[in-house]
Amino acid sequence: MHSLPYANYPPFISREQEEYVLSTIKDWSIQHGLTVRPSSSFVPGEVDKSGVLATTAPVTLFPSPFPESCFRQAHFLQTTYNELYAAISNDEVWIEEVMKGLIEVDDFIKNLWKVHQSVKEEGYVQQLSLGLFRSDYMLHAPSSHELPSLRQVEFNTISSSFGGLSALVTSLHTHLLTFTDPSAHLAYPNHPLFEAREAGSANSNSQALPSDATINVPPVNDAVQVLQTGLSAAHEAYASSKSEPKLPLCILFLVQDHERNIFDQLALSSTLKFPVFRLLTSQILSHTSIDPDNHLRPLVYTPPSSPATRFEVTTIYLRALYAPAEYTSAESWSARLHLERSAAIKCPGVLSQLAGCKKVQQVLTSISPDHVRRFLPNASQSTLSSLRSTFAPQYDLNPNSEGLAIALDESRAANHVLKPQREGGGNNIYRTAIPGFLKSLPSKEHYRSYILMELIHPPAEAKNTVLRSDGTVISGNVISELGVFGACLWRQGERTGDGATRSGFEILHNEGGGYLMRTKGKDSDEGGVAAGFSCLDSVLLY
Amino acid sequence: MHSLPYANYPPFISREQEEYVLSTIKDWSIQHGLTVRPSSSFVPGEVDKSGVLATTAPVTLFPSPFPESCFRQAHFLQTTYNELYAAISNDEVWIEEVMKGLIEVDDFIKNLWKVHQSVKEEGYVQQLSLGLFRSDYMLHAPSSHELPSLRQVEFNTISSSFGGLSALVTSLHTHLLTFTDPSAHLAYPNHPLFEAREAGSANSNSQALPSDATINVPPVNDAVQVLQTGLSAAHEAYASSKSEPKLPLCILFLVQDHERNIFDQLALSSTLKFPVFRLLTSQILSHTSIDPDNHLRPLVYTPPSSPATRFEVTTIYLRALYAPAEYTSAESWSARLHLERSAAIKCPGVLSQLAGCKKVQQVLTSISPDHVRRFLPNASQSTLSSLRSTFAPQYDLNPNSEGLAIALDESRAANHVLKPQREGGGNNIYRTAIPGFLKSLPSKEHYRSYILMELIHPPAEAKNTVLRSDGTVISGNVISELGVFGACLWRQGERTGDGATRSGFEILHNEGGGYLMRTKGKDSDEGGVAAGFSCLDSVLLY
């Protein structure tokens, strides 16, 4: 019988300690770039006309407890998950089969698919694909006495964010726990969770502490290295310029206008050992070009401040174009097609983006046919079991299906969440609102755009205090999500005659590591950190 | 005949290049902590109630040209200047003689002197003193064809700021000059000043560039290391706790409430290898104590967030208490006395602070008696000549003196500035305003509070563009000041019988290096960067 540490955590701190923690966070975050641009609801545009202000990223005052076994499992599984989604991205036949129903009813999915079809028709000139992934989990803890288990919330194949800032939060919490030394208790009083764990517990960060360490600190967060190593692997695999004459090589970070989360992106780009430029989605067609006479289709970037200078793009990293709302016109889709048909390595390509749909996640839970086994022919039975143990029960809403029966029955729906296929939070329907919502849809055709997932029950007694970006401080019950980052570079296989298999599919780089702990108030069922509902956190293993 | 590079500098840049430079500065500065807290005139207090916002520090868009010979001379002289002011601080008899007149008319000087006298009476328990100095110079360029010479504006013995942020500006300008490589011209077009200087020109930063460097970048800025090494030298020289039982050791940074320039201070404190705490001047008496039963008088600091924890202060670094306005009550002076009589090494002690008065600078220009020679018995003649060459002609306003004659004559005053004795900018009287100002003083007794200095004529054609902290961009003619940092730890000598000499005076650590380039619009005769009138800059040697 294991007693979970949530009921008595975090420890009570005095007003003076809270003041110390808050002022440390406010100063440390600005000094170290753990920052975001302020929202217009906090700082009106007329105050900061030229956009010079920044504020601390939303963070928890305390790191959150997390079971070591679950943390290790999530890290152990990452390279297998990377391989799974690389293999899915490699199988357009399977994706089309899974997506067919959606392509018919969802314009966004349809347009993505059309981009792929169009490039396929012309012929892809780049066989390499890069995935910078993040697999997100919650703890499922139906009982307060059993150790929680890991349940996957979603697998992000595009614009997996917060690797940069998350690593900084780990450093911030470590600083709060260890300055000047643990016994000084400047920030926090004693708590069993802060005490060093027995030797032999595989705390991967033990090497980061002095040998006489007497304190439990968050595990080292390698997110930046893992993501940067992935980008470097792609950049190097691109090899050399395909232009005549040859051009210098660069990477592009494709970003949104008015990005508040820019410092997360800069944490990745600014220390790479080759040129990286930021490109707004609105500037794709004006600042990049493909010479129609070069059948290799290198993507050429011209920096607006130096029109005579040209770079060839090895890798285009999308921190944008993941949500339907970003495609405001036909030109947006032309721009996406333009990138997809270029020789640049896409992170991700359109097929990888489609592989991240909730529908795929749901179909993978099937045992018969056993898709996971097929995509991971070399994985051991125990690895597959571990992977499958992270799947939450989930269903499609086909006519006469089990899923539809649950979704339309208020009492059975009460333990479920209805999710649209698309990336990005904010659109989930919860519990007893599900039947009414489904009935309000214009037709049953639209049911295909959703999947139904059994609710995950995170530790009910988890509490924390958060500092929001506008400076307000809120304490209360919280829900946390752990994301583990992965980087995978693969070569797409060639289709064989029957189109069902591919030869030549090859994984060139596969690494997992680094984490994002995201904590939100329990009242809000939804929350992306960037939207201001939730906060960046780190973990204390127990 | 040397043609100065100011007339054609900075080069014209396109709107797109300026946009690139500005957006790079805005993002780079936040990511790297080149920041200040916004002023209340920029961000009203009601917008940012809890103080989470930061903004970019005011910076120039271009590094400013500076003659290499002058730059080298300033660096070469720093250890000699350090020794000079250490020796002055060690000679209370000389200081009293020089200050006598001021002590009578200036309450601030009088109170500082009283602090010294009071501790002297009780007996100093700490013979070590630390100086973190900055010697400020302007270029004197009466002709646009002769190489300018170096003229000292002032020597700062207390709260010499901007070492932390200044080093970051050097990095920022280097980034703008070198990303992605010089030939890309993303930020700046070609300019002769940006081209690599001939091999053999002693550009100290050449080792920081790739061997095929084709560009002139600002010299490496070691300010943080020089200041930190000084603090470390003091901390280590303190040796061990004087408390019973022994306490852990720390350094205190004494700071002002609502310090906007906190990130400059954190750049020094946050990477020191021992505990550093920030202490507000208003908390000196509540958070530090001296056990009346311990004749060694160790200064004990209790962090408010952990009342059971005690640290012994090895070194107290004053980034406050330099200006009269900070002493708001008798308690302020009690607090200053409390620090001065403690065993902590003061940076600076009261005598060093007094040594920084403009009056001392003026008296040092005297040839007969030759004070400089007396204070620097071991300096070579050439070093002394070089040092003296940086002195601007300056005068006291004694009755019937040459100085007074100049000051009261409007045409002769027109080439002079009248400076009060005290630290901190904003109080100088310029040119033809001098005679009227003097006549407006309540009595001629007050003349003693001022010294008259011949105006320095900086390069008339110098121009730059600055980004202020509120985001506004201003271009125009500018004046720059170069400060070189120094760190000096010494042991005060024991007075011999006649009080005129001391034995045992010993310099334990003496280093110079790192620089602050401060550039302001030519219209404003005054300017401290923190006050928002002037900007942080770096140098390009020519």
Side-chain angles (χ1 to χ4, degrees), chain B residues 483-495:
Chain B
V484 173
F485 292 94
C488 193
L489 178 72
W490 68 90
R491 178 174 287 116
Q492 294 281 122
E494 292 295 322
R495 311 190 72 200

Side-chain angles (χ1 to χ4, degrees), chain B residues 67 176 314 408:
Chain B
L176 284 168
T314 66
L408 291 174

Side-chain angles (χ1 to χ4, degrees), chain A residues 173-174 177-178 193-194 203 205 209 215-219 539-541:
Chain A
H173 282 160
T174 303
L177 282 160
T178 57
L193 259 186
F194 300 151
N203 193 334
N205 58 312
L209 279 177
I215 194 157
N216 185 22
V217 298
V539 302
L540 274 187
L541 300 182

